[in-house]
Amino acid sequence: MHAEPDHVPYAPPRVPGPAAPALSPAQIDGQLRTLSVLHHVLGALSLAGSLPLLVLLVFGIVNEAADDFADPGGVSTIAVVGALVLAALAGGALCIRAGFDLARRRRHGLCVAVAALACLNFPLGTALGVYALVVLSRPDVHAAFAATGSTR
């Protein structure tokens, strides 16, 4: 095996991009507070959005129980709606948890993971997730989480 060269012979020279200016502690606090509130709002919307699915799930279970769960299509529909309810409840709970962690500057890794998952919730979650990923990827914000002793 041979070692890779430090540069590719025909590639243009690497030019470092402009460094983002460091944020003041007050700016970091403001951005994390904003992210915390927005995560709470998205979590509450997700939990509220799961209520109609929960009603549909109960209605389906009651109707299928009357027929002794004889219709395989009805049972599979119950399974799919049940999975959607669980996903909405779990997503809402995770968003709310990440909101608390953002406010306390704890569990940086969980906050990043929830922000990435929020991107799947189009359109509000996508906007929030991208904003959160941009803020949480900044070195000074990561240092603010490290100062509390919890970056996992």
Side-chain angles (χ1 to χ4, degrees):
M1 300 187 99
H2 58 60
E4 290 290 324
D6 289 337
H7 67 283
V8 179
Y10 299 107
R14 292 184 185 170
V15 178
L23 297 177
S24 71
Q27 289 173 318
I28 292 172
D29 188 48
Q31 288 185 348
L32 291 177
R33 191 176 326 114
T34 300
L35 281 174
S36 174
V37 169
L38 292 175
H39 273 80
H40 284 109
V41 169
L42 184 64
L45 287 174
S46 181
L47 292 176
S50 69
L51 291 178
L53 288 175
L54 189 60
V55 170
L56 180 65
L57 179 65
V58 170
F59 180 71
I61 290 173
V62 168
N63 280 343
E64 285 300 315
D67 293 336
D68 292 329
F69 297 98
D71 181 22
V75 173
S76 63
T77 301
I78 288 173
V80 168
V81 172
L84 289 174
V85 168
L86 286 176
L89 291 174
L94 274 174
C95 265
I96 291 172
R97 176 60 193 221
F100 285 122
D101 288 341
L102 284 164
R104 295 180 186 135
R105 295 181 183 172
R106 300 190 63 204
R107 294 183 183 88
H108 183 267
L110 175 71
C111 294
V112 170
V114 170
L117 287 174
C119 290
L120 298 174
N121 193 356
F122 186 79
L124 297 176
T126 304
L128 174 61
V130 169
Y131 175 57
L133 288 172
V134 167
V135 170
L136 291 171
S137 67
R138 296 181 60 96
D140 43 357
V141 173
H142 197 275
F145 274 82
T148 63
S150 177
T151 59
R152 298 185 277 143

